[in-house]
Amino acid sequence: MIGRLNHVAIVVPDMAAAAALYRDTLGANVSEMLDQPDHGVTTVFIELPNTKIELLHPLGEGSPIQAFLDKNPSGGMHHVCYEVDDIIEARDRIVADGARVIGSGEPRIGAHGKPVLFLHPKDFCGTLVEIEQA
Ligand code: CO
């Protein structure tokens, strides 16, 4: 059911330093910083030949990644995102199989303007999983 790895998201304590690390030390193609107030994050996208890395830093009060950064002050891997063809069909199969979708279960428009859902890390090998209808 799942398709391509769309991105791996990494929460970072210092966005400018993280962007410079990927650009200069790792020689990657790094986007400009983008504030996404609707999502409570600032993002930098790193284009790799086969997938993307998404650097995330909290933006504003009540950012959904603030607690993660508090627990992991030097940053860390936050989630992986897999593409699916039909997010409703994917959700129904996941729920029918006994795994948990976070929140209301209704897809939200994610940071790339596409419908997404997050799956409970306790049901997915300790890893927060995002599915995106590509
Ligand atoms: Co994501």
Side-chain angles (χ1 to χ4, degrees), residues 14-78:
D14 179 337
M15 188 59 102
L21 183 69
Y22 271 82
R23 186 181 54 239
D24 303 333
T25 305
L26 294 178
N29 184 5
V30 173
S31 78
E32 294 300 310
M33 262 184 238
L34 179 66
D35 287 346
Q36 305 211 29
D38 288 354
H39 298 284
V41 293
T42 299
T43 52
V44 161
F45 296 107
I46 298 162
E47 290 287 343
L48 302 181
N50 60 344
T51 191
K52 293 186 285 272
I53 305 296
E54 190 175 299
L55 303 180
L56 302 174
H57 186 77
L59 176 69
E61 296 292 313
S63 168
I65 59 169
Q66 186 63 57
F68 182 91
L69 190 56
D70 292 343
K71 263 184 251 163
N72 304 275
S74 49
M77 203 200 80
H78 186 261

Side-chain angles (χ1 to χ4, degrees), residues 7 9 54 56 79 81 112 118 130:
H7 61 272
E54 190 175 299
L56 302 174
H79 64 267
C81 177
H112 311 111
F118 284 90
E130 179 180 22

